[in-house]
Amino acid sequence: MFFDEKVIYFVLAMGMFTKVFKTGQDPAVKEGQKVAEQVNALEPECEKLDAEALKAKTQELKARLGSGETLEKLLPEAFALARESSKRTLGQRHFDVQIVGGLALHEGKIAEMKTGEGKTLVATLPAYLNALEGKGVHVITVNDYLARRDAVWMGQIYHALGMSIGCITHEASYIYDPAYQDAKKDEARDTLGSFKVEESFLRPVTRKEAYAADITYGTNNEFGFDYLRDNMVYDLAQQTQRGHAYAIIDEVDSILIDEARTPLIISAPDQESSSWYKDFARLTPHLQKDVDYEIDEKLKAVTITDAGIDKVEKLLGVGDIYQEKGIKYLHHLENALRAQTLFQRDRDYVVRGGQVVIVDEFTGRLLQGRRYSGGLHQALEAKEGAQVQPESLTLASVTFQNYFRMYKKLAGMTGTAQTSAEEFYKVYRLEVVAIPTNKPMVREDLHDRIYKSDQGKFRALVQEIKEKHEKGQPVLVGTVSIQKNEYLGALMAKEGIPHKILNAKNHEQEAEIIAQAGRMGAVTVATNMAGRGVDIVLGGNPPDKEQSRRVREVGGLHVIGTERHEARRIDNQLRGRGGRQGDPGSTQFFISLEDDLMRVFGGDRIKGLMEKLHMPEDQSIENRMLSNALESAQSKIEGFHFDSRKHLLEFDDVLNKHRDALYRRRHEILEKAQKGELRDSMLEMVEKKGHSKEEYAKKEQEVGEANMRQAEKVVALRVIDSLWIGHLEEMEYLRDSVRLRAYGQQDPLIEYKNEGHKMFQQLLQAIEQNIVDSLLHVQLTPQAQTPAIPQNVSYSSPADSSSTSTSAPQRKIASSAQPKVGRNDPCPCGSGKKYKKCHGA
């Protein structure tokens, strides 16, 4: 049980303890204030520089860096120059607290800054400073819109300093170029403030050119997929990234925690398991909950019982399902049951144009083209009567946790990090620094209102909105799903309350809706889309001084949450829409005992109390003790999720070591081939495996020396790639199977490490043997060409919305057009055997 009286009193006591003993200030903030004083002292000198001198200063700093000065020594000057450039181009001068934030980012920490404090502008300070090294700085955002917006908006600062700016999106890659379609310059400047993305300054270029820029903006998905694709190329010239020196992650909690355990995957169609969905459609209606399968809502998992397995065997007419169908079949059957019982339309996904499209739990946005893995998406398609797409075979994968830990220096920004400070430090060695606000926070966070039922809660909610609207106070209502978003909209329409609805179904109107959400009497009902990367300006946007004054007089923006989220950070993001930059504002959560959080994780005792008091459904309890108890429950759930992510990371670290070793070997082959040194390595391998140099020379003479050089590279890479695909699949099955060993008092992680190590050693031996065999039996023509990586890759990513699941995580997938190796096809190793009898065994 997540609610406990002792916990309630402990939370209250700790709150008093904090107030009494929390004195002084974070040392990092004190250090930052000293730096701010140094930057301020340099301001008069910077103001004297003309445009050319400002650019020349960048070259001067680069030269000093090259002669031995450190970035820390150059920091005050670099920050002062970036601030001056911002004043000239954007008319925005970095506040002192923004300089404090910039220092934290440069030192590889997380800067927790409240909404409206200008995180986007803060990032320009460390980005410019670290770009002086010439190794490339990556600024990571959560979606393509923000990547383009920030590259254009902040690009003006960097450009005035003589720096180049790249932008990576799903559709294309760009370089910031103010000369590109210069006629639209004024229009672009006007629209940036109202959240419209103006691309008139973004000139399309190749991916490689965008990464070659001093500073490159892009999304976490695109950086991760480009890393994977770079390790699938057949020529170094095809690689796009140039290393991982320094990254600044915006909305760092979303990327490194919410999506941490969601691997990015590049895959090819796998027809075998796709035929099973006819079976599942026939079987699932015959299975009964709590008899044939059990549901764990906390873990969002479904488990088939022994009785269920017996029933499935009878329905299929098989004696032993494990022998005749395999454990993979049961895993897919369980996913089909999950689709039926745990995933809801218009909450977890929507159906558009006959396709099942996932809704991101944390942002409320549609994840176009992204698919659940493990058969879950196909099960949803079958459930909704949509065309069932083929499943996928993994070609390459990496988790965000392991991708971002590759950077030599990592930093992040968010408005909500303190509640996850322990995880940031333990997993990424990132410290959290709370940056003070520029102006005092005057927002009023009211006690939660707790109701017996959903129906009573929504009735009271509509009345509250009506009162605020009639007095002219703008209201933003945050809902957890499209379904409840539209339900509340219908209730308000009955009451005659004018309002705007924002969710994934009408996200095209997001800019316009958000721009006017702060006007007098505005009522906006939004999913979590309004939780990140947006500012609601009092009086509307563009600003209206009279409107702004009147809105302030009636209390500023009032933010209402209709449910508590499992993570306190998500609640805090919604609260953060109000009270920006010292503006007045207020927030309050309306909670029902029928909410998922209360229903699944506790609340029976509170419900019993309310029933004993015979309270009406639309009458609430407002009690700080109950709110504290709820936050304590959230804290426990967060700890539960953290343990789950940490456990999965320990498993993924095993495969990550294999990936690093294999990718290094692959890169060595490419480098040696480019330098003309690969023949010696191949000869060493041939001798090691017992073939003679004479045989090799004979084959070389037979096919031609030039062709043999090409064959060495292509054969080696093809063998590595094909066997790696099999290894990924085998490691996934191993992960599933070692869990059962816990029943035999064995540690599944140790078993996974030991067996995984043996499998990897066998993989390395198989790679060498197959390269040698293939080269000695290779048949080439003079027209042989280097294979190209498929370009028609559709990015997909979504994650099982449940970050609680301790089963194998749902995966982000990029479907590739590259053909798969069929089980009855010849094995690509060149042995002459069928794939299923060779490396597919």
Side-chain angles (χ1 to χ4, degrees), residues 228 231-232 264-269 392-397 662-663 720-722 724-726 728-729 790 793 811 814-821:
L228 291 176
N231 285 286
M232 295 172 69
L264 292 169
I265 292 176
I266 296 179
S267 65
S392 303
L393 185 69
T394 300
L395 305 181
S397 72
L662 200 85
Y663 283 179
I720 288 173
D721 291 347
S722 62
W724 175 241
I725 292 168
L728 287 174
E729 195 169 17
V793 172
R811 303 171 293 170
S815 299
S816 166
Q818 184 167 326
K820 73 180 282 285
V821 181

PDB file of all heavy atoms in Angstrom, residues 228 231-232 264-269 392-397 662-663 720-722 724-726 728-729 790 793 811 814-821:
ATOM      1  N   LEU A 228      23.341   5.092 -35.076  1.00  0.00           N
ATOM      2  CA  LEU A 228      23.173   3.700 -35.509  1.00  0.00           C
ATOM      3  C   LEU A 228      23.473   3.541 -36.995  1.00  0.00           C
ATOM      4  O   LEU A 228      24.150   2.595 -37.411  1.00  0.00           O
ATOM      5  CB  LEU A 228      21.748   3.221 -35.209  1.00  0.00           C
ATOM      6  CG  LEU A 228      21.380   3.038 -33.730  1.00  0.00           C
ATOM      7  CD1 LEU A 228      19.913   2.647 -33.602  1.00  0.00           C
ATOM      8  CD2 LEU A 228      22.265   1.994 -33.068  1.00  0.00           C
ATOM      9  N   ASN A 231      26.987   3.381 -38.009  1.00  0.00           N
ATOM     10  CA  ASN A 231      27.638   2.104 -37.747  1.00  0.00           C
ATOM     11  C   ASN A 231      27.071   0.980 -38.607  1.00  0.00           C
ATOM     12  O   ASN A 231      27.241  -0.197 -38.295  1.00  0.00           O
ATOM     13  CB  ASN A 231      27.520   1.773 -36.255  1.00  0.00           C
ATOM     14  CG  ASN A 231      28.469   2.607 -35.418  1.00  0.00           C
ATOM     15  OD1 ASN A 231      29.671   2.376 -35.406  1.00  0.00           O
ATOM     16  ND2 ASN A 231      27.936   3.600 -34.734  1.00  0.00           N
ATOM     17  N   MET A 232      26.397   1.382 -39.703  1.00  0.00           N
ATOM     18  CA  MET A 232      25.938   0.417 -40.695  1.00  0.00           C
ATOM     19  C   MET A 232      26.496   0.736 -42.081  1.00  0.00           C
ATOM     20  O   MET A 232      26.184   0.049 -43.046  1.00  0.00           O
ATOM     21  CB  MET A 232      24.406   0.421 -40.754  1.00  0.00           C
ATOM     22  CG  MET A 232      23.735  -0.049 -39.470  1.00  0.00           C
ATOM     23  SD  MET A 232      21.940   0.182 -39.496  1.00  0.00           S
ATOM     24  CE  MET A 232      21.455  -1.010 -40.729  1.00  0.00           C
ATOM     25  N   LEU A 264      16.157   2.842 -29.325  1.00  0.00           N
ATOM     26  CA  LEU A 264      15.953   3.178 -30.732  1.00  0.00           C
ATOM     27  C   LEU A 264      16.375   1.951 -31.524  1.00  0.00           C
ATOM     28  O   LEU A 264      17.415   1.360 -31.244  1.00  0.00           O
ATOM     29  CB  LEU A 264      16.832   4.367 -31.125  1.00  0.00           C
ATOM     30  CG  LEU A 264      16.477   5.705 -30.492  1.00  0.00           C
ATOM     31  CD1 LEU A 264      17.595   6.705 -30.765  1.00  0.00           C
ATOM     32  CD2 LEU A 264      15.172   6.240 -31.033  1.00  0.00           C
ATOM     33  N   ILE A 265      15.572   1.578 -32.509  1.00  0.00           N
ATOM     34  CA  ILE A 265      15.853   0.345 -33.251  1.00  0.00           C
ATOM     35  C   ILE A 265      15.718   0.595 -34.748  1.00  0.00           C
ATOM     36  O   ILE A 265      14.791   1.267 -35.188  1.00  0.00           O
ATOM     37  CB  ILE A 265      14.888  -0.775 -32.836  1.00  0.00           C
ATOM     38  CG1 ILE A 265      15.184  -1.194 -31.397  1.00  0.00           C
ATOM     39  CG2 ILE A 265      14.978  -1.971 -33.755  1.00  0.00           C
ATOM     40  CD1 ILE A 265      14.227  -2.218 -30.859  1.00  0.00           C
ATOM     41  N   ILE A 266      16.656   0.077 -35.504  1.00  0.00           N
ATOM     42  CA  ILE A 266      16.526   0.023 -36.966  1.00  0.00           C
ATOM     43  C   ILE A 266      16.258  -1.436 -37.293  1.00  0.00           C
ATOM     44  O   ILE A 266      16.963  -2.329 -36.833  1.00  0.00           O
ATOM     45  CB  ILE A 266      17.786   0.538 -37.666  1.00  0.00           C
ATOM     46  CG1 ILE A 266      17.987   2.021 -37.342  1.00  0.00           C
ATOM     47  CG2 ILE A 266      17.689   0.329 -39.172  1.00  0.00           C
ATOM     48  CD1 ILE A 266      19.215   2.630 -37.975  1.00  0.00           C
ATOM     49  N   SER A 267      15.197  -1.674 -38.063  1.00  0.00           N
ATOM     50  CA  SER A 267      14.779  -3.057 -38.257  1.00  0.00           C
ATOM     51  C   SER A 267      14.309  -3.313 -39.673  1.00  0.00           C
ATOM     52  O   SER A 267      14.095  -2.390 -40.452  1.00  0.00           O
ATOM     53  CB  SER A 267      13.656  -3.395 -37.276  1.00  0.00           C
ATOM     54  OG  SER A 267      12.528  -2.622 -37.577  1.00  0.00           O
ATOM     55  N   ALA A 268      14.159  -4.599 -39.978  1.00  0.00           N
ATOM     56  CA  ALA A 268      13.656  -5.044 -41.276  1.00  0.00           C
ATOM     57  C   ALA A 268      12.455  -5.951 -41.042  1.00  0.00           C
ATOM     58  O   ALA A 268      12.288  -6.485 -39.951  1.00  0.00           O
ATOM     59  CB  ALA A 268      14.756  -5.805 -42.028  1.00  0.00           C
ATOM     60  N   PRO A 269      11.579  -6.109 -42.043  1.00  0.00           N
ATOM     61  CA  PRO A 269      10.380  -6.939 -41.849  1.00  0.00           C
ATOM     62  C   PRO A 269      10.714  -8.385 -41.490  1.00  0.00           C
ATOM     63  O   PRO A 269      11.674  -8.954 -41.984  1.00  0.00           O
ATOM     64  CB  PRO A 269       9.685  -6.865 -43.214  1.00  0.00           C
ATOM     65  CG  PRO A 269      10.205  -5.618 -43.839  1.00  0.00           C
ATOM     66  CD  PRO A 269      11.610  -5.474 -43.367  1.00  0.00           C
ATOM     67  N   SER A 392       9.045  -6.932 -37.066  1.00  0.00           N
ATOM     68  CA  SER A 392      10.378  -6.489 -37.464  1.00  0.00           C
ATOM     69  C   SER A 392      11.490  -7.346 -36.869  1.00  0.00           C
ATOM     70  O   SER A 392      11.342  -7.925 -35.798  1.00  0.00           O
ATOM     71  CB  SER A 392      10.587  -5.034 -37.018  1.00  0.00           C
ATOM     72  OG  SER A 392       9.598  -4.208 -37.565  1.00  0.00           O
ATOM     73  N   LEU A 393      12.596  -7.399 -37.585  1.00  0.00           N
ATOM     74  CA  LEU A 393      13.808  -8.065 -37.135  1.00  0.00           C
ATOM     75  C   LEU A 393      14.835  -6.972 -36.876  1.00  0.00           C
ATOM     76  O   LEU A 393      15.113  -6.153 -37.744  1.00  0.00           O
ATOM     77  CB  LEU A 393      14.317  -9.017 -38.219  1.00  0.00           C
ATOM     78  CG  LEU A 393      15.513  -9.890 -37.879  1.00  0.00           C
ATOM     79  CD1 LEU A 393      15.123 -10.940 -36.853  1.00  0.00           C
ATOM     80  CD2 LEU A 393      16.033 -10.573 -39.151  1.00  0.00           C
ATOM     81  N   THR A 394      15.397  -6.938 -35.677  1.00  0.00           N
ATOM     82  CA  THR A 394      16.303  -5.853 -35.287  1.00  0.00           C
ATOM     83  C   THR A 394      17.627  -5.928 -36.037  1.00  0.00           C
ATOM     84  O   THR A 394      18.286  -6.963 -36.065  1.00  0.00           O
ATOM     85  CB  THR A 394      16.561  -5.907 -33.773  1.00  0.00           C
ATOM     86  OG1 THR A 394      15.322  -5.758 -33.096  1.00  0.00           O
ATOM     87  CG2 THR A 394      17.505  -4.796 -33.346  1.00  0.00           C
ATOM     88  N   LEU A 395      18.022  -4.806 -36.656  1.00  0.00           N
ATOM     89  CA  LEU A 395      19.323  -4.695 -37.316  1.00  0.00           C
ATOM     90  C   LEU A 395      20.328  -3.967 -36.429  1.00  0.00           C
ATOM     91  O   LEU A 395      21.513  -4.266 -36.447  1.00  0.00           O
ATOM     92  CB  LEU A 395      19.188  -3.937 -38.643  1.00  0.00           C
ATOM     93  CG  LEU A 395      18.177  -4.474 -39.652  1.00  0.00           C
ATOM     94  CD1 LEU A 395      18.188  -3.606 -40.912  1.00  0.00           C
ATOM     95  CD2 LEU A 395      18.482  -5.917 -40.023  1.00  0.00           C
ATOM     96  N   ALA A 396      19.845  -2.981 -35.669  1.00  0.00           N
ATOM     97  CA  ALA A 396      20.730  -2.207 -34.783  1.00  0.00           C
ATOM     98  C   ALA A 396      19.864  -1.540 -33.733  1.00  0.00           C
ATOM     99  O   ALA A 396      18.722  -1.176 -34.007  1.00  0.00           O
ATOM    100  CB  ALA A 396      21.505  -1.162 -35.577  1.00  0.00           C
ATOM    101  N   SER A 397      20.403  -1.370 -32.527  1.00  0.00           N
ATOM    102  CA  SER A 397      19.623  -0.713 -31.486  1.00  0.00           C
ATOM    103  C   SER A 397      20.533  -0.085 -30.436  1.00  0.00           C
ATOM    104  O   SER A 397      21.679  -0.506 -30.260  1.00  0.00           O
ATOM    105  CB  SER A 397      18.687  -1.716 -30.794  1.00  0.00           C
ATOM    106  OG  SER A 397      19.423  -2.591 -29.969  1.00  0.00           O
ATOM    107  N   LEU A 662      31.963  -4.403 -31.053  1.00  0.00           N
ATOM    108  CA  LEU A 662      31.698  -4.744 -32.455  1.00  0.00           C
ATOM    109  C   LEU A 662      31.796  -3.511 -33.351  1.00  0.00           C
ATOM    110  O   LEU A 662      32.352  -3.581 -34.458  1.00  0.00           O
ATOM    111  CB  LEU A 662      30.321  -5.391 -32.591  1.00  0.00           C
ATOM    112  CG  LEU A 662      30.177  -6.190 -33.885  1.00  0.00           C
ATOM    113  CD1 LEU A 662      30.737  -7.598 -33.686  1.00  0.00           C
ATOM    114  CD2 LEU A 662      28.735  -6.282 -34.313  1.00  0.00           C
ATOM    115  N   TYR A 663      31.250  -2.390 -32.894  1.00  0.00           N
ATOM    116  CA  TYR A 663      31.312  -1.170 -33.691  1.00  0.00           C
ATOM    117  C   TYR A 663      32.761  -0.682 -33.843  1.00  0.00           C
ATOM    118  O   TYR A 663      33.137  -0.134 -34.884  1.00  0.00           O
ATOM    119  CB  TYR A 663      30.441  -0.082 -33.073  1.00  0.00           C
ATOM    120  CG  TYR A 663      28.945  -0.251 -33.333  1.00  0.00           C
ATOM    121  CD1 TYR A 663      28.019   0.660 -32.817  1.00  0.00           C
ATOM    122  CD2 TYR A 663      28.457  -1.313 -34.091  1.00  0.00           C
ATOM    123  CE1 TYR A 663      26.650   0.505 -33.053  1.00  0.00           C
ATOM    124  CE2 TYR A 663      27.096  -1.475 -34.322  1.00  0.00           C
ATOM    125  CZ  TYR A 663      26.199  -0.561 -33.803  1.00  0.00           C
ATOM    126  OH  TYR A 663      24.850  -0.704 -34.038  1.00  0.00           O
ATOM    127  N   ILE A 720      29.883  -9.354 -40.400  1.00  0.00           N
ATOM    128  CA  ILE A 720      29.668  -8.731 -39.088  1.00  0.00           C
ATOM    129  C   ILE A 720      28.205  -8.343 -38.911  1.00  0.00           C
ATOM    130  O   ILE A 720      27.581  -8.642 -37.889  1.00  0.00           O
ATOM    131  CB  ILE A 720      30.580  -7.494 -38.908  1.00  0.00           C
ATOM    132  CG1 ILE A 720      32.034  -7.949 -38.708  1.00  0.00           C
ATOM    133  CG2 ILE A 720      30.119  -6.630 -37.742  1.00  0.00           C
ATOM    134  CD1 ILE A 720      33.036  -6.809 -38.678  1.00  0.00           C
ATOM    135  N   ASP A 721      27.648  -7.679 -39.931  1.00  0.00           N
ATOM    136  CA  ASP A 721      26.276  -7.188 -39.819  1.00  0.00           C
ATOM    137  C   ASP A 721      25.264  -8.325 -39.699  1.00  0.00           C
ATOM    138  O   ASP A 721      24.340  -8.272 -38.883  1.00  0.00           O
ATOM    139  CB  ASP A 721      25.922  -6.310 -41.023  1.00  0.00           C
ATOM    140  CG  ASP A 721      26.686  -4.984 -41.017  1.00  0.00           C
ATOM    141  OD1 ASP A 721      27.283  -4.656 -39.971  1.00  0.00           O
ATOM    142  OD2 ASP A 721      26.690  -4.287 -42.040  1.00  0.00           O
ATOM    143  N   SER A 722      25.421  -9.364 -40.516  1.00  0.00           N
ATOM    144  CA  SER A 722      24.441 -10.451 -40.504  1.00  0.00           C
ATOM    145  C   SER A 722      24.513 -11.239 -39.195  1.00  0.00           C
ATOM    146  O   SER A 722      23.479 -11.604 -38.614  1.00  0.00           O
ATOM    147  CB  SER A 722      24.635 -11.378 -41.711  1.00  0.00           C
ATOM    148  OG  SER A 722      25.912 -11.982 -41.665  1.00  0.00           O
ATOM    149  N   TRP A 724      25.635 -10.097 -36.338  1.00  0.00           N
ATOM    150  CA  TRP A 724      25.209  -9.197 -35.255  1.00  0.00           C
ATOM    151  C   TRP A 724      23.679  -9.201 -35.112  1.00  0.00           C
ATOM    152  O   TRP A 724      23.153  -9.187 -34.004  1.00  0.00           O
ATOM    153  CB  TRP A 724      25.723  -7.784 -35.533  1.00  0.00           C
ATOM    154  CG  TRP A 724      25.272  -6.733 -34.565  1.00  0.00           C
ATOM    155  CD1 TRP A 724      24.529  -5.626 -34.833  1.00  0.00           C
ATOM    156  CD2 TRP A 724      25.554  -6.658 -33.151  1.00  0.00           C
ATOM    157  NE1 TRP A 724      24.323  -4.878 -33.702  1.00  0.00           N
ATOM    158  CE2 TRP A 724      24.944  -5.490 -32.653  1.00  0.00           C
ATOM    159  CE3 TRP A 724      26.248  -7.483 -32.269  1.00  0.00           C
ATOM    160  CZ2 TRP A 724      25.008  -5.116 -31.310  1.00  0.00           C
ATOM    161  CZ3 TRP A 724      26.321  -7.112 -30.918  1.00  0.00           C
ATOM    162  CH2 TRP A 724      25.706  -5.950 -30.463  1.00  0.00           C
ATOM    163  N   ILE A 725      22.994  -9.269 -36.258  1.00  0.00           N
ATOM    164  CA  ILE A 725      21.524  -9.328 -36.217  1.00  0.00           C
ATOM    165  C   ILE A 725      21.079 -10.563 -35.439  1.00  0.00           C
ATOM    166  O   ILE A 725      20.204 -10.486 -34.567  1.00  0.00           O
ATOM    167  CB  ILE A 725      20.945  -9.371 -37.652  1.00  0.00           C
ATOM    168  CG1 ILE A 725      21.191  -8.038 -38.361  1.00  0.00           C
ATOM    169  CG2 ILE A 725      19.454  -9.687 -37.628  1.00  0.00           C
ATOM    170  CD1 ILE A 725      20.924  -8.092 -39.857  1.00  0.00           C
ATOM    171  N   GLY A 726      21.697 -11.698 -35.733  1.00  0.00           N
ATOM    172  CA  GLY A 726      21.351 -12.924 -35.015  1.00  0.00           C
ATOM    173  C   GLY A 726      21.691 -12.821 -33.540  1.00  0.00           C
ATOM    174  O   GLY A 726      20.938 -13.292 -32.680  1.00  0.00           O
ATOM    175  N   LEU A 728      21.743 -10.112 -31.655  1.00  0.00           N
ATOM    176  CA  LEU A 728      20.758  -9.259 -30.983  1.00  0.00           C
ATOM    177  C   LEU A 728      19.510 -10.051 -30.624  1.00  0.00           C
ATOM    178  O   LEU A 728      18.967  -9.922 -29.525  1.00  0.00           O
ATOM    179  CB  LEU A 728      20.379  -8.072 -31.876  1.00  0.00           C
ATOM    180  CG  LEU A 728      21.417  -6.968 -32.048  1.00  0.00           C
ATOM    181  CD1 LEU A 728      20.930  -5.948 -33.078  1.00  0.00           C
ATOM    182  CD2 LEU A 728      21.699  -6.269 -30.727  1.00  0.00           C
ATOM    183  N   GLU A 729      19.069 -10.894 -31.569  1.00  0.00           N
ATOM    184  CA  GLU A 729      17.861 -11.687 -31.331  1.00  0.00           C
ATOM    185  C   GLU A 729      18.107 -12.725 -30.238  1.00  0.00           C
ATOM    186  O   GLU A 729      17.285 -12.915 -29.335  1.00  0.00           O
ATOM    187  CB  GLU A 729      17.413 -12.357 -32.629  1.00  0.00           C
ATOM    188  CG  GLU A 729      15.999 -12.889 -32.567  1.00  0.00           C
ATOM    189  CD  GLU A 729      15.471 -13.306 -33.936  1.00  0.00           C
ATOM    190  OE1 GLU A 729      16.292 -13.479 -34.867  1.00  0.00           O
ATOM    191  OE2 GLU A 729      14.251 -13.457 -34.069  1.00  0.00           O
ATOM    192  N   PRO A 790      20.116   1.668 -46.789  1.00  0.00           N
ATOM    193  CA  PRO A 790      18.792   2.085 -47.269  1.00  0.00           C
ATOM    194  C   PRO A 790      18.457   3.488 -46.814  1.00  0.00           C
ATOM    195  O   PRO A 790      18.650   3.839 -45.655  1.00  0.00           O
ATOM    196  CB  PRO A 790      17.847   1.064 -46.615  1.00  0.00           C
ATOM    197  CG  PRO A 790      18.698  -0.095 -46.252  1.00  0.00           C
ATOM    198  CD  PRO A 790      20.052   0.447 -45.981  1.00  0.00           C
ATOM    199  N   VAL A 793      14.248   5.038 -44.650  1.00  0.00           N
ATOM    200  CA  VAL A 793      14.070   4.584 -43.269  1.00  0.00           C
ATOM    201  C   VAL A 793      12.971   5.414 -42.621  1.00  0.00           C
ATOM    202  O   VAL A 793      13.020   6.632 -42.629  1.00  0.00           O
ATOM    203  CB  VAL A 793      15.370   4.760 -42.462  1.00  0.00           C
ATOM    204  CG1 VAL A 793      15.122   4.484 -40.994  1.00  0.00           C
ATOM    205  CG2 VAL A 793      16.434   3.818 -42.988  1.00  0.00           C
ATOM    206  N   ARG A 811       9.821  -1.062 -27.679  1.00  0.00           N
ATOM    207  CA  ARG A 811      10.984  -0.436 -28.296  1.00  0.00           C
ATOM    208  C   ARG A 811      10.619   0.550 -29.381  1.00  0.00           C
ATOM    209  O   ARG A 811       9.615   0.424 -30.038  1.00  0.00           O
ATOM    210  CB  ARG A 811      11.881  -1.536 -28.892  1.00  0.00           C
ATOM    211  CG  ARG A 811      12.296  -2.557 -27.850  1.00  0.00           C
ATOM    212  CD  ARG A 811      12.975  -3.742 -28.476  1.00  0.00           C
ATOM    213  NE  ARG A 811      12.042  -4.521 -29.289  1.00  0.00           N
ATOM    214  CZ  ARG A 811      12.432  -5.491 -30.089  1.00  0.00           C
ATOM    215  NH1 ARG A 811      13.682  -5.803 -30.207  1.00  0.00           N
ATOM    216  NH2 ARG A 811      11.546  -6.147 -30.799  1.00  0.00           N
ATOM    217  N   ALA A 814      12.793   1.801 -36.162  1.00  0.00           N
ATOM    218  CA  ALA A 814      12.847   2.436 -37.469  1.00  0.00           C
ATOM    219  C   ALA A 814      12.797   1.318 -38.494  1.00  0.00           C
ATOM    220  O   ALA A 814      13.693   0.492 -38.568  1.00  0.00           O
ATOM    221  CB  ALA A 814      14.143   3.224 -37.624  1.00  0.00           C
ATOM    222  N   SER A 815      11.743   1.262 -39.265  1.00  0.00           N
ATOM    223  CA  SER A 815      11.588   0.185 -40.244  1.00  0.00           C
ATOM    224  C   SER A 815      12.463   0.469 -41.456  1.00  0.00           C
ATOM    225  O   SER A 815      12.419   1.542 -42.013  1.00  0.00           O
ATOM    226  CB  SER A 815      10.126   0.084 -40.665  1.00  0.00           C
ATOM    227  OG  SER A 815       9.335  -0.213 -39.555  1.00  0.00           O
ATOM    228  N   SER A 816      13.232  -0.527 -41.860  1.00  0.00           N
ATOM    229  CA  SER A 816      14.145  -0.341 -42.982  1.00  0.00           C
ATOM    230  C   SER A 816      13.696  -1.178 -44.163  1.00  0.00           C
ATOM    231  O   SER A 816      13.104  -2.230 -44.008  1.00  0.00           O
ATOM    232  CB  SER A 816      15.556  -0.761 -42.569  1.00  0.00           C
ATOM    233  OG  SER A 816      16.378  -0.905 -43.693  1.00  0.00           O
ATOM    234  N   ALA A 817      14.013  -0.719 -45.361  1.00  0.00           N
ATOM    235  CA  ALA A 817      13.642  -1.472 -46.552  1.00  0.00           C
ATOM    236  C   ALA A 817      14.638  -2.590 -46.846  1.00  0.00           C
ATOM    237  O   ALA A 817      14.482  -3.328 -47.779  1.00  0.00           O
ATOM    238  CB  ALA A 817      13.563  -0.538 -47.752  1.00  0.00           C
ATOM    239  N   GLN A 818      15.702  -2.695 -46.038  1.00  0.00           N
ATOM    240  CA  GLN A 818      16.716  -3.707 -46.289  1.00  0.00           C
ATOM    241  C   GLN A 818      16.097  -5.098 -46.170  1.00  0.00           C
ATOM    242  O   GLN A 818      15.410  -5.396 -45.198  1.00  0.00           O
ATOM    243  CB  GLN A 818      17.847  -3.555 -45.273  1.00  0.00           C
ATOM    244  CG  GLN A 818      18.995  -4.525 -45.527  1.00  0.00           C
ATOM    245  CD  GLN A 818      20.198  -4.135 -44.707  1.00  0.00           C
ATOM    246  OE1 GLN A 818      20.428  -2.964 -44.479  1.00  0.00           O
ATOM    247  NE2 GLN A 818      20.970  -5.116 -44.265  1.00  0.00           N
ATOM    248  N   PRO A 819      16.308  -5.985 -47.142  1.00  0.00           N
ATOM    249  CA  PRO A 819      15.678  -7.303 -47.099  1.00  0.00           C
ATOM    250  C   PRO A 819      16.212  -8.128 -45.942  1.00  0.00           C
ATOM    251  O   PRO A 819      17.377  -8.044 -45.596  1.00  0.00           O
ATOM    252  CB  PRO A 819      16.051  -7.921 -48.446  1.00  0.00           C
ATOM    253  CG  PRO A 819      17.271  -7.199 -48.880  1.00  0.00           C
ATOM    254  CD  PRO A 819      17.147  -5.810 -48.337  1.00  0.00           C
ATOM    255  N   LYS A 820      15.329  -8.960 -45.345  1.00  0.00           N
ATOM    256  CA  LYS A 820      15.748  -9.825 -44.262  1.00  0.00           C
ATOM    257  C   LYS A 820      16.280 -11.128 -44.836  1.00  0.00           C
ATOM    258  O   LYS A 820      16.067 -11.461 -46.003  1.00  0.00           O
ATOM    259  CB  LYS A 820      14.571 -10.117 -43.324  1.00  0.00           C
ATOM    260  CG  LYS A 820      13.552 -11.065 -43.905  1.00  0.00           C
ATOM    261  CD  LYS A 820      12.425 -11.302 -42.947  1.00  0.00           C
ATOM    262  CE  LYS A 820      12.784 -12.269 -41.850  1.00  0.00           C
ATOM    263  NZ  LYS A 820      12.836 -13.658 -42.242  1.00  0.00           N
ATOM    264  N   VAL A 821      16.976 -11.881 -44.001  1.00  0.00           N
ATOM    265  CA  VAL A 821      17.441 -13.199 -44.401  1.00  0.00           C
ATOM    266  C   VAL A 821      16.363 -14.188 -44.008  1.00  0.00           C
ATOM    267  O   VAL A 821      16.061 -14.345 -42.821  1.00  0.00           O
ATOM    268  CB  VAL A 821      18.768 -13.542 -43.694  1.00  0.00           C
ATOM    269  CG1 VAL A 821      19.254 -14.915 -44.133  1.00  0.00           C
ATOM    270  CG2 VAL A 821      19.810 -12.482 -43.993  1.00  0.00           C
TER     271      VAL A 821
END
